[in-house]
Amino acid sequence: MTVAKQSVSARPLSKQRLRLWLRLLRAARGIESELRERLRKDFAITMPQFDVMAALARKPDGMNMTELSRMLMVSNGNVTGIIDRLAVEKLVQRQAPATDRRSFIVRLTPKGASQFAVVAKAHENWVDELLAGFDAAEADHLIEMLGGLASSGRGETQS
Amino acid sequence: MTVAKQSVSARPLSKQRLRLWLRLLRAARGIESELRERLRKDFAITMPQFDVMAALARKPDGMNMTELSRMLMVSNGNVTGIIDRLAVEKLVQRQAPATDRRSFIVRLTPKGASQFAVVAKAHENWVDELLAGFDAAEADHLIEMLGGLASSGRGETQS
DNA sequence: CTTAAAAATTTTATATATGAAGTATTTTCC
DNA sequence: GGAAAATACTTCATATATAAAATTTTTAAG
């Protein structure tokens, strides 16, 4: 019947963390939905498609489906559909590596690369606008605080 | 042709904000996917369904579909499907208010309310665990920093 | 009161998303 | 070298999601 260590305002720590989680989720969803809407209206592209192109833009030599799904933290089957649709638009292409007939190397087409460059620039400007409330110091601070959370399992250290 | 004000390390501010956005998104998605998996495994419920029940738990008198969709920041049609599935499980019920035959009042059933209480407790513990890296001061700090972002348009000030 | 506009939902088409099952190909191991 | 395990993908069933169209009911205007 001993009361666990909880001094002063210690009791509601779990409530406070819950509030933090709700804030984090709300912030991310708000920004995400704004970005998604702009991508759709201005470039007729979805955010998952943009995310895939962004991942591929970092790897000129391409990646296979598994690497893509791990980097984007989405399921294997999900990537199949997104790549399928990007391939129809000739923005990405699948290439068979002679060594392993199970996998594909996916990469941006020239059309995909040049189109991505344009969209990425607009995207960066939008983010800059939506996060205008943060100066360099605050951004650094937040980035560091959020750093520990990201990888809840295997972590892709990208840059 | 004058160069805009950008001293010292000012140039990459937009890049820094982009990094912040990627961190924020990655953190939110990581936690979200962990919570979603636990909700599914332990309680056979989806996160959108949990979110709807959480919203309804705050309003014993119920809400109509439009209020729900605004509070959850999701589309109108989306809520229809989630409520449909919760109704099949007898966790929520639609009630016709005599005054306006266009709308419904949705509320938790007794079964839904008691089940939600159990799930919500587990959910709070999970969040407490996943955000264990933040003490009270850091949580407060982060909550405040994120506060300005949330509402990118109309804002629901809930609590 | 009747038509037009507004409001609340649902329906539809399309795109994600997940987990699980299925298929094809490589690797491992004896 | 041949069966068993591991890999790499795709397919399937189900549940979100959104935007746009359609439906029903209320409200507003004249």
Side-chain angles (χ1 to χ4, degrees):
Chain A
M1 208 61 96
T2 57
V3 179
K5 173 189 63 182
Q6 40 186 44
S7 60
V8 201
S9 65
R11 213 281 300 164
L13 218 196
S14 72
K15 297 285 185 195
Q16 200 63 357
R17 289 189 177 127
L18 188 55
R19 273 173 58 82
L20 170 54
W21 164 235
L22 295 177
R23 270 299 167 81
L24 188 65
L25 186 59
R26 183 168 285 261
R29 283 185 179 171
I31 294 170
E32 192 176 354
S33 93
E34 181 64 30
L35 291 174
R36 181 173 42 231
E37 190 177 335
R38 294 187 188 190
L39 285 171
R40 184 183 63 83
K41 282 190 179 170
D42 289 8
F43 298 107
I45 201 179
T46 67
M47 184 173 294
Q49 287 168 13
F50 176 75
D51 289 344
V52 164
M53 293 180 78
L56 292 178
R58 291 170 143 275
K59 306 277 185 177
D61 293 339
M63 319 166 64
N64 63 33
M65 301 294 273
T66 299
E67 289 173 319
L68 253 179
S69 87
R70 265 205 277 263
M71 179 172 291
L72 300 174
M73 299 199 304
V74 298
S75 70
N76 236 329
N78 189 3
V79 176
T80 296
I82 299 172
I83 292 294
D84 282 350
R85 284 177 286 272
L86 285 173
V88 169
E89 302 294 329
K90 307 290 187 194
L91 297 172
V92 306
Q93 61 185 18
R94 283 179 169 97
Q95 241 171 46
T99 55
D100 189 337
R101 280 184 299 177
R102 290 171 304 182
S103 70
F104 292 105
I105 298 296
V106 185
R107 61 176 101 206
L108 291 178
T109 61
K111 175 186 175 187
S114 78
Q115 181 165 322
F116 174 74
V118 176
V119 181
K121 190 59 197 159
H123 178 264
E124 182 177 330
N125 290 337
W126 293 337
V127 171
D128 193 45
E129 168 195 338
L130 294 171
L131 299 192
F134 296 101
D135 60 29
E138 289 173 325
D140 282 339
H141 188 187
L142 250 179
I143 287 171
E144 192 183 2
M145 293 190 86
L146 292 173
L149 291 177
S151 57
S152 59
R154 34 38 186 137
E156 294 297 325
T157 51
Q158 58 164 17
S159 163
Chain B
M1 207 58 98
T2 56
V3 179
K5 173 188 63 181
Q6 42 185 45
S7 60
V8 201
S9 66
R11 212 283 300 164
L13 218 197
S14 71
K15 296 285 185 194
Q16 200 64 356
R17 288 186 176 130
L18 189 55
R19 272 172 59 83
L20 170 55
W21 165 234
L22 295 177
R23 272 297 170 84
L24 188 66
L25 187 58
R26 182 168 284 261
R29 283 185 178 171
I31 294 169
E32 192 177 354
S33 93
E34 181 65 29
L35 291 174
R36 180 171 42 230
E37 190 176 335
R38 295 187 187 191
L39 285 172
R40 185 183 62 84
K41 283 190 176 169
D42 290 7
F43 299 106
I45 200 180
T46 67
M47 184 173 294
Q49 287 168 13
F50 175 75
D51 289 344
V52 164
M53 293 180 77
L56 292 178
R58 291 170 143 274
K59 305 277 185 178
D61 293 340
M63 318 166 63
N64 63 33
M65 302 295 274
T66 299
E67 288 173 319
L68 253 180
S69 86
R70 265 204 278 262
M71 179 172 291
L72 299 174
M73 301 197 302
V74 298
S75 70
N76 235 331
N78 189 4
V79 177
T80 296
I82 299 172
I83 291 295
D84 282 350
R85 284 178 286 271
L86 285 173
V88 169
E89 303 292 330
K90 307 290 188 194
L91 297 172
V92 305
Q93 61 185 16
R94 285 177 167 97
Q95 241 172 47
T99 54
D100 188 337
R101 281 186 299 178
R102 289 171 302 182
S103 69
F104 292 104
I105 298 297
V106 185
R107 62 176 100 203
L108 291 178
T109 62
K111 174 185 175 187
S114 79
Q115 180 164 324
F116 174 74
V118 177
V119 181
K121 188 60 197 157
H123 178 264
E124 182 178 328
N125 290 337
W126 293 336
V127 171
D128 193 45
E129 169 196 337
L130 294 171
L131 299 192
F134 297 101
D135 61 29
E138 290 173 325
D140 282 340
H141 188 189
L142 249 180
I143 287 171
E144 192 183 2
M145 291 190 87
L146 293 173
L149 291 176
S151 57
S152 60
R154 30 27 188 154
E156 294 296 325
T157 50
Q158 60 163 18
S159 159

PDB file of all heavy atoms in Angstrom, chain A residues 36-46 49 89 91 115 119:
ATOM      1  N   ARG A  36      -0.244  17.308 -48.638  1.00  0.00           N
ATOM      2  CA  ARG A  36      -0.891  16.371 -49.564  1.00  0.00           C
ATOM      3  C   ARG A  36      -1.827  17.112 -50.513  1.00  0.00           C
ATOM      4  O   ARG A  36      -1.840  16.848 -51.720  1.00  0.00           O
ATOM      5  CB  ARG A  36      -1.673  15.330 -48.763  1.00  0.00           C
ATOM      6  CG  ARG A  36      -2.372  14.301 -49.629  1.00  0.00           C
ATOM      7  CD  ARG A  36      -2.985  13.198 -48.787  1.00  0.00           C
ATOM      8  NE  ARG A  36      -3.627  13.716 -47.597  1.00  0.00           N
ATOM      9  CZ  ARG A  36      -3.420  13.289 -46.363  1.00  0.00           C
ATOM     10  NH1 ARG A  36      -2.577  12.318 -46.154  1.00  0.00           N
ATOM     11  NH2 ARG A  36      -4.051  13.827 -45.342  1.00  0.00           N
ATOM     12  N   GLU A  37      -2.564  18.050 -49.949  1.00  0.00           N
ATOM     13  CA  GLU A  37      -3.513  18.793 -50.790  1.00  0.00           C
ATOM     14  C   GLU A  37      -2.782  19.616 -51.857  1.00  0.00           C
ATOM     15  O   GLU A  37      -3.193  19.665 -53.013  1.00  0.00           O
ATOM     16  CB  GLU A  37      -4.359  19.705 -49.901  1.00  0.00           C
ATOM     17  CG  GLU A  37      -5.524  20.340 -50.637  1.00  0.00           C
ATOM     18  CD  GLU A  37      -6.382  21.178 -49.703  1.00  0.00           C
ATOM     19  OE1 GLU A  37      -6.376  20.907 -48.482  1.00  0.00           O
ATOM     20  OE2 GLU A  37      -7.053  22.110 -50.197  1.00  0.00           O
ATOM     21  N   ARG A  38      -1.674  20.220 -51.452  1.00  0.00           N
ATOM     22  CA  ARG A  38      -0.929  21.033 -52.427  1.00  0.00           C
ATOM     23  C   ARG A  38      -0.290  20.155 -53.497  1.00  0.00           C
ATOM     24  O   ARG A  38      -0.233  20.523 -54.671  1.00  0.00           O
ATOM     25  CB  ARG A  38       0.140  21.851 -51.706  1.00  0.00           C
ATOM     26  CG  ARG A  38      -0.464  22.906 -50.782  1.00  0.00           C
ATOM     27  CD  ARG A  38       0.611  23.811 -50.203  1.00  0.00           C
ATOM     28  NE  ARG A  38       0.067  24.689 -49.169  1.00  0.00           N
ATOM     29  CZ  ARG A  38       0.736  25.707 -48.645  1.00  0.00           C
ATOM     30  NH1 ARG A  38       1.962  25.988 -49.056  1.00  0.00           N
ATOM     31  NH2 ARG A  38       0.186  26.463 -47.707  1.00  0.00           N
ATOM     32  N   LEU A  39       0.226  19.005 -53.098  1.00  0.00           N
ATOM     33  CA  LEU A  39       0.822  18.088 -54.078  1.00  0.00           C
ATOM     34  C   LEU A  39      -0.228  17.669 -55.109  1.00  0.00           C
ATOM     35  O   LEU A  39       0.051  17.602 -56.303  1.00  0.00           O
ATOM     36  CB  LEU A  39       1.379  16.835 -53.379  1.00  0.00           C
ATOM     37  CG  LEU A  39       2.695  17.007 -52.618  1.00  0.00           C
ATOM     38  CD1 LEU A  39       3.010  15.756 -51.811  1.00  0.00           C
ATOM     39  CD2 LEU A  39       3.847  17.321 -53.576  1.00  0.00           C
ATOM     40  N   ARG A  40      -1.415  17.396 -54.601  1.00  0.00           N
ATOM     41  CA  ARG A  40      -2.480  16.955 -55.495  1.00  0.00           C
ATOM     42  C   ARG A  40      -2.906  18.073 -56.440  1.00  0.00           C
ATOM     43  O   ARG A  40      -2.984  17.886 -57.654  1.00  0.00           O
ATOM     44  CB  ARG A  40      -3.696  16.500 -54.673  1.00  0.00           C
ATOM     45  CG  ARG A  40      -4.834  15.921 -55.506  1.00  0.00           C
ATOM     46  CD  ARG A  40      -6.025  15.558 -54.623  1.00  0.00           C
ATOM     47  NE  ARG A  40      -6.605  16.719 -53.961  1.00  0.00           N
ATOM     48  CZ  ARG A  40      -7.482  17.547 -54.517  1.00  0.00           C
ATOM     49  NH1 ARG A  40      -7.884  17.342 -55.760  1.00  0.00           N
ATOM     50  NH2 ARG A  40      -7.950  18.571 -53.853  1.00  0.00           N
ATOM     51  N   LYS A  41      -3.151  19.262 -55.877  1.00  0.00           N
ATOM     52  CA  LYS A  41      -3.653  20.360 -56.703  1.00  0.00           C
ATOM     53  C   LYS A  41      -2.621  20.875 -57.696  1.00  0.00           C
ATOM     54  O   LYS A  41      -2.929  21.140 -58.851  1.00  0.00           O
ATOM     55  CB  LYS A  41      -4.120  21.523 -55.810  1.00  0.00           C
ATOM     56  CG  LYS A  41      -5.481  21.287 -55.175  1.00  0.00           C
ATOM     57  CD  LYS A  41      -5.999  22.567 -54.504  1.00  0.00           C
ATOM     58  CE  LYS A  41      -7.376  22.347 -53.893  1.00  0.00           C
ATOM     59  NZ  LYS A  41      -7.811  23.482 -53.037  1.00  0.00           N
ATOM     60  N   ASP A  42      -1.391  21.029 -57.222  1.00  0.00           N
ATOM     61  CA  ASP A  42      -0.379  21.652 -58.074  1.00  0.00           C
ATOM     62  C   ASP A  42       0.342  20.673 -58.987  1.00  0.00           C
ATOM     63  O   ASP A  42       0.814  21.048 -60.057  1.00  0.00           O
ATOM     64  CB  ASP A  42       0.664  22.381 -57.210  1.00  0.00           C
ATOM     65  CG  ASP A  42       0.097  23.643 -56.569  1.00  0.00           C
ATOM     66  OD1 ASP A  42      -1.124  23.857 -56.681  1.00  0.00           O
ATOM     67  OD2 ASP A  42       0.877  24.401 -55.955  1.00  0.00           O
ATOM     68  N   PHE A  43       0.442  19.415 -58.547  1.00  0.00           N
ATOM     69  CA  PHE A  43       1.244  18.476 -59.335  1.00  0.00           C
ATOM     70  C   PHE A  43       0.552  17.149 -59.621  1.00  0.00           C
ATOM     71  O   PHE A  43       1.154  16.249 -60.194  1.00  0.00           O
ATOM     72  CB  PHE A  43       2.572  18.210 -58.622  1.00  0.00           C
ATOM     73  CG  PHE A  43       3.417  19.436 -58.460  1.00  0.00           C
ATOM     74  CD1 PHE A  43       3.567  20.041 -57.216  1.00  0.00           C
ATOM     75  CD2 PHE A  43       4.055  20.013 -59.561  1.00  0.00           C
ATOM     76  CE1 PHE A  43       4.345  21.188 -57.063  1.00  0.00           C
ATOM     77  CE2 PHE A  43       4.832  21.150 -59.411  1.00  0.00           C
ATOM     78  CZ  PHE A  43       4.982  21.745 -58.172  1.00  0.00           C
ATOM     79  N   ALA A  44      -0.684  17.012 -59.183  1.00  0.00           N
ATOM     80  CA  ALA A  44      -1.431  15.774 -59.442  1.00  0.00           C
ATOM     81  C   ALA A  44      -0.653  14.540 -59.010  1.00  0.00           C
ATOM     82  O   ALA A  44      -0.598  13.537 -59.724  1.00  0.00           O
ATOM     83  CB  ALA A  44      -1.794  15.679 -60.928  1.00  0.00           C
ATOM     84  N   ILE A  45      -0.032  14.644 -57.836  1.00  0.00           N
ATOM     85  CA  ILE A  45       0.715  13.506 -57.324  1.00  0.00           C
ATOM     86  C   ILE A  45       0.309  13.291 -55.870  1.00  0.00           C
ATOM     87  O   ILE A  45      -0.094  14.240 -55.197  1.00  0.00           O
ATOM     88  CB  ILE A  45       2.232  13.764 -57.436  1.00  0.00           C
ATOM     89  CG1 ILE A  45       3.001  12.447 -57.396  1.00  0.00           C
ATOM     90  CG2 ILE A  45       2.694  14.678 -56.335  1.00  0.00           C
ATOM     91  CD1 ILE A  45       4.488  12.657 -57.516  1.00  0.00           C
ATOM     92  N   THR A  46       0.394  12.056 -55.391  1.00  0.00           N
ATOM     93  CA  THR A  46       0.044  11.785 -53.998  1.00  0.00           C
ATOM     94  C   THR A  46       1.311  11.854 -53.142  1.00  0.00           C
ATOM     95  O   THR A  46       2.424  11.772 -53.654  1.00  0.00           O
ATOM     96  CB  THR A  46      -0.571  10.389 -53.842  1.00  0.00           C
ATOM     97  OG1 THR A  46       0.434   9.418 -54.129  1.00  0.00           O
ATOM     98  CG2 THR A  46      -1.759  10.212 -54.767  1.00  0.00           C
ATOM     99  N   GLN A  49       3.489   8.721 -53.321  1.00  0.00           N
ATOM    100  CA  GLN A  49       4.236   8.698 -54.573  1.00  0.00           C
ATOM    101  C   GLN A  49       5.428   9.665 -54.496  1.00  0.00           C
ATOM    102  O   GLN A  49       6.531   9.344 -54.952  1.00  0.00           O
ATOM    103  CB  GLN A  49       3.317   9.060 -55.744  1.00  0.00           C
ATOM    104  CG  GLN A  49       2.340   7.941 -56.098  1.00  0.00           C
ATOM    105  CD  GLN A  49       1.236   8.368 -57.049  1.00  0.00           C
ATOM    106  OE1 GLN A  49       1.290   9.444 -57.659  1.00  0.00           O
ATOM    107  NE2 GLN A  49       0.213   7.538 -57.170  1.00  0.00           N
ATOM    108  N   GLU A  89       2.854   5.970 -65.167  1.00  0.00           N
ATOM    109  CA  GLU A  89       3.127   7.355 -65.568  1.00  0.00           C
ATOM    110  C   GLU A  89       4.536   7.528 -66.121  1.00  0.00           C
ATOM    111  O   GLU A  89       4.970   8.657 -66.395  1.00  0.00           O
ATOM    112  CB  GLU A  89       2.953   8.288 -64.362  1.00  0.00           C
ATOM    113  CG  GLU A  89       1.580   8.257 -63.708  1.00  0.00           C
ATOM    114  CD  GLU A  89       0.492   8.801 -64.616  1.00  0.00           C
ATOM    115  OE1 GLU A  89       0.798   9.693 -65.431  1.00  0.00           O
ATOM    116  OE2 GLU A  89      -0.656   8.300 -64.517  1.00  0.00           O
ATOM    117  N   LEU A  91       7.270   7.374 -64.565  1.00  0.00           N
ATOM    118  CA  LEU A  91       8.123   8.163 -63.673  1.00  0.00           C
ATOM    119  C   LEU A  91       9.204   7.289 -63.034  1.00  0.00           C
ATOM    120  O   LEU A  91      10.231   7.783 -62.608  1.00  0.00           O
ATOM    121  CB  LEU A  91       7.265   8.826 -62.589  1.00  0.00           C
ATOM    122  CG  LEU A  91       6.248   9.833 -63.136  1.00  0.00           C
ATOM    123  CD1 LEU A  91       5.304  10.303 -62.031  1.00  0.00           C
ATOM    124  CD2 LEU A  91       6.955  11.031 -63.772  1.00  0.00           C
ATOM    125  N   GLN A 115      10.983  15.702 -63.181  1.00  0.00           N
ATOM    126  CA  GLN A 115       9.731  16.142 -62.569  1.00  0.00           C
ATOM    127  C   GLN A 115       9.869  16.226 -61.054  1.00  0.00           C
ATOM    128  O   GLN A 115       9.366  17.154 -60.423  1.00  0.00           O
ATOM    129  CB  GLN A 115       8.606  15.170 -62.932  1.00  0.00           C
ATOM    130  CG  GLN A 115       7.264  15.573 -62.350  1.00  0.00           C
ATOM    131  CD  GLN A 115       6.116  14.830 -63.015  1.00  0.00           C
ATOM    132  OE1 GLN A 115       6.144  14.595 -64.229  1.00  0.00           O
ATOM    133  NE2 GLN A 115       5.119  14.449 -62.242  1.00  0.00           N
ATOM    134  N   VAL A 119       9.016  19.318 -58.214  1.00  0.00           N
ATOM    135  CA  VAL A 119       8.098  19.117 -57.095  1.00  0.00           C
ATOM    136  C   VAL A 119       8.832  19.282 -55.761  1.00  0.00           C
ATOM    137  O   VAL A 119       8.314  19.889 -54.821  1.00  0.00           O
ATOM    138  CB  VAL A 119       7.446  17.717 -57.165  1.00  0.00           C
ATOM    139  CG1 VAL A 119       6.474  17.532 -56.004  1.00  0.00           C
ATOM    140  CG2 VAL A 119       6.715  17.536 -58.488  1.00  0.00           C
TER     141      VAL A 119
END
